[in-house]
Amino acid sequence: MEKQSVFINPFVDRGFKILFGQESSKELLIELINDLLEGEHHVEDLSYMDKEDPSETTDGRGVIFDLLCKDRDGTIFIVELQNARQDYFYERALYYLSRICLLYTSPSP
């Protein structure tokens, strides 16, 4: 009987999260991020955060990030996979970033 190989497609949400979104694959994600951001930012370590932020109202929009991470120096960032052109990508990214700012910043006294 021939043994079947199993491949994970990293270009779909589920495959991306399996490959990069688990504690066991943290070093792989760090390497990917550092390769992509070479010369701009360097991540030495990161922790995975809750990827879902439900809407505060019944008619509002919640967000589900592919990955939400925090690096050693406290920088919080979103890792989002896009494998096709997305209408309104910049507007959605701005909305995601706004939600992150609301969640993780507190007003000064």
PDB file of all heavy atoms in Angstrom, residues 2 12 32-33 35 52 54 60 80 90 93 95 106:
ATOM      1  N   GLU A   2       0.581   2.164  -0.891  1.00  0.00           N
ATOM      2  CA  GLU A   2       1.381   3.381  -1.029  1.00  0.00           C
ATOM      3  C   GLU A   2       1.023   4.365   0.080  1.00  0.00           C
ATOM      4  O   GLU A   2      -0.139   4.616   0.368  1.00  0.00           O
ATOM      5  CB  GLU A   2       1.094   4.017  -2.396  1.00  0.00           C
ATOM      6  CG  GLU A   2       1.969   5.193  -2.678  1.00  0.00           C
ATOM      7  CD  GLU A   2       1.701   5.769  -4.056  1.00  0.00           C
ATOM      8  OE1 GLU A   2       1.341   4.999  -4.968  1.00  0.00           O
ATOM      9  OE2 GLU A   2       1.844   6.974  -4.205  1.00  0.00           O
ATOM     10  N   VAL A  12      -3.593  29.496   2.677  1.00  0.00           N
ATOM     11  CA  VAL A  12      -4.989  29.584   3.104  1.00  0.00           C
ATOM     12  C   VAL A  12      -4.966  29.770   4.623  1.00  0.00           C
ATOM     13  O   VAL A  12      -4.010  29.362   5.295  1.00  0.00           O
ATOM     14  CB  VAL A  12      -5.821  28.340   2.698  1.00  0.00           C
ATOM     15  CG1 VAL A  12      -5.916  28.212   1.186  1.00  0.00           C
ATOM     16  CG2 VAL A  12      -5.252  27.071   3.291  1.00  0.00           C
ATOM     17  N   LEU A  32      10.326  33.988   9.815  1.00  0.00           N
ATOM     18  CA  LEU A  32       9.577  34.582   8.701  1.00  0.00           C
ATOM     19  C   LEU A  32       9.436  36.090   8.886  1.00  0.00           C
ATOM     20  O   LEU A  32       9.714  36.868   7.969  1.00  0.00           O
ATOM     21  CB  LEU A  32       8.193  33.933   8.591  1.00  0.00           C
ATOM     22  CG  LEU A  32       7.241  34.583   7.585  1.00  0.00           C
ATOM     23  CD1 LEU A  32       7.734  34.387   6.158  1.00  0.00           C
ATOM     24  CD2 LEU A  32       5.830  34.031   7.747  1.00  0.00           C
ATOM     25  N   ILE A  33       9.030  36.518  10.073  1.00  0.00           N
ATOM     26  CA  ILE A  33       8.843  37.946  10.328  1.00  0.00           C
ATOM     27  C   ILE A  33      10.163  38.698  10.165  1.00  0.00           C
ATOM     28  O   ILE A  33      10.207  39.752   9.536  1.00  0.00           O
ATOM     29  CB  ILE A  33       8.261  38.173  11.741  1.00  0.00           C
ATOM     30  CG1 ILE A  33       6.812  37.668  11.791  1.00  0.00           C
ATOM     31  CG2 ILE A  33       8.322  39.646  12.126  1.00  0.00           C
ATOM     32  CD1 ILE A  33       6.240  37.603  13.186  1.00  0.00           C
ATOM     33  N   ASP A  35      12.749  37.873   8.374  1.00  0.00           N
ATOM     34  CA  ASP A  35      13.115  37.924   6.959  1.00  0.00           C
ATOM     35  C   ASP A  35      12.313  38.996   6.227  1.00  0.00           C
ATOM     36  O   ASP A  35      12.845  39.726   5.395  1.00  0.00           O
ATOM     37  CB  ASP A  35      12.899  36.567   6.288  1.00  0.00           C
ATOM     38  CG  ASP A  35      13.978  35.555   6.632  1.00  0.00           C
ATOM     39  OD1 ASP A  35      15.019  35.947   7.212  1.00  0.00           O
ATOM     40  OD2 ASP A  35      13.782  34.362   6.336  1.00  0.00           O
ATOM     41  N   GLU A  52      -9.242  36.959  18.565  1.00  0.00           N
ATOM     42  CA  GLU A  52     -10.608  37.401  18.314  1.00  0.00           C
ATOM     43  C   GLU A  52     -10.989  38.557  19.219  1.00  0.00           C
ATOM     44  O   GLU A  52     -10.685  38.558  20.400  1.00  0.00           O
ATOM     45  CB  GLU A  52     -11.585  36.245  18.526  1.00  0.00           C
ATOM     46  CG  GLU A  52     -11.348  35.120  17.544  1.00  0.00           C
ATOM     47  CD  GLU A  52     -12.416  34.039  17.626  1.00  0.00           C
ATOM     48  OE1 GLU A  52     -13.546  34.345  18.022  1.00  0.00           O
ATOM     49  OE2 GLU A  52     -12.093  32.889  17.290  1.00  0.00           O
ATOM     50  N   PRO A  54     -14.554  40.336  19.673  1.00  0.00           N
ATOM     51  CA  PRO A  54     -15.947  40.424  19.240  1.00  0.00           C
ATOM     52  C   PRO A  54     -16.469  41.856  19.283  1.00  0.00           C
ATOM     53  O   PRO A  54     -15.924  42.711  19.982  1.00  0.00           O
ATOM     54  CB  PRO A  54     -16.683  39.547  20.249  1.00  0.00           C
ATOM     55  CG  PRO A  54     -15.787  39.481  21.430  1.00  0.00           C
ATOM     56  CD  PRO A  54     -14.392  39.674  20.930  1.00  0.00           C
ATOM     57  N   GLY A  60     -22.500  45.744  15.382  1.00  0.00           N
ATOM     58  CA  GLY A  60     -21.129  46.140  15.072  1.00  0.00           C
ATOM     59  C   GLY A  60     -20.320  44.996  14.493  1.00  0.00           C
ATOM     60  O   GLY A  60     -20.798  43.871  14.362  1.00  0.00           O
ATOM     61  N   GLU A  80      -1.126  39.042   9.166  1.00  0.00           N
ATOM     62  CA  GLU A  80      -2.320  38.759   8.380  1.00  0.00           C
ATOM     63  C   GLU A  80      -1.897  38.269   7.009  1.00  0.00           C
ATOM     64  O   GLU A  80      -1.079  38.887   6.341  1.00  0.00           O
ATOM     65  CB  GLU A  80      -3.158  40.041   8.266  1.00  0.00           C
ATOM     66  CG  GLU A  80      -4.504  39.888   7.647  1.00  0.00           C
ATOM     67  CD  GLU A  80      -5.510  39.180   8.549  1.00  0.00           C
ATOM     68  OE1 GLU A  80      -5.319  39.111   9.771  1.00  0.00           O
ATOM     69  OE2 GLU A  80      -6.506  38.683   7.988  1.00  0.00           O
ATOM     70  N   TYR A  90      -6.970  48.305   2.695  1.00  0.00           N
ATOM     71  CA  TYR A  90      -6.408  49.360   3.531  1.00  0.00           C
ATOM     72  C   TYR A  90      -7.410  49.831   4.581  1.00  0.00           C
ATOM     73  O   TYR A  90      -7.052  50.077   5.727  1.00  0.00           O
ATOM     74  CB  TYR A  90      -5.931  50.538   2.675  1.00  0.00           C
ATOM     75  CG  TYR A  90      -4.748  50.160   1.820  1.00  0.00           C
ATOM     76  CD1 TYR A  90      -4.873  49.994   0.449  1.00  0.00           C
ATOM     77  CD2 TYR A  90      -3.494  49.939   2.396  1.00  0.00           C
ATOM     78  CE1 TYR A  90      -3.791  49.612  -0.327  1.00  0.00           C
ATOM     79  CE2 TYR A  90      -2.405  49.561   1.630  1.00  0.00           C
ATOM     80  CZ  TYR A  90      -2.565  49.401   0.268  1.00  0.00           C
ATOM     81  OH  TYR A  90      -1.494  49.023  -0.488  1.00  0.00           O
ATOM     82  N   ALA A  93      -7.487  47.119   7.210  1.00  0.00           N
ATOM     83  CA  ALA A  93      -6.261  47.176   8.016  1.00  0.00           C
ATOM     84  C   ALA A  93      -6.333  48.336   9.008  1.00  0.00           C
ATOM     85  O   ALA A  93      -5.958  48.189  10.179  1.00  0.00           O
ATOM     86  CB  ALA A  93      -5.039  47.309   7.118  1.00  0.00           C
ATOM     87  N   TYR A  95      -9.038  49.615  10.255  1.00  0.00           N
ATOM     88  CA  TYR A  95     -10.013  49.215  11.267  1.00  0.00           C
ATOM     89  C   TYR A  95      -9.375  48.249  12.267  1.00  0.00           C
ATOM     90  O   TYR A  95      -9.532  48.392  13.478  1.00  0.00           O
ATOM     91  CB  TYR A  95     -11.230  48.577  10.592  1.00  0.00           C
ATOM     92  CG  TYR A  95     -12.283  48.099  11.564  1.00  0.00           C
ATOM     93  CD1 TYR A  95     -13.040  49.008  12.285  1.00  0.00           C
ATOM     94  CD2 TYR A  95     -12.501  46.745  11.762  1.00  0.00           C
ATOM     95  CE1 TYR A  95     -14.001  48.577  13.183  1.00  0.00           C
ATOM     96  CE2 TYR A  95     -13.456  46.293  12.657  1.00  0.00           C
ATOM     97  CZ  TYR A  95     -14.206  47.219  13.364  1.00  0.00           C
ATOM     98  OH  TYR A  95     -15.148  46.785  14.255  1.00  0.00           O
ATOM     99  N   SER A 106      -4.256  52.531  27.087  1.00  0.00           N
ATOM    100  CA  SER A 106      -5.166  53.120  28.071  1.00  0.00           C
ATOM    101  C   SER A 106      -4.929  54.624  28.099  1.00  0.00           C
ATOM    102  O   SER A 106      -3.809  55.080  27.911  1.00  0.00           O
ATOM    103  CB  SER A 106      -4.934  52.507  29.442  1.00  0.00           C
ATOM    104  OG  SER A 106      -3.596  52.661  29.826  1.00  0.00           O
TER     105      SER A 106
END
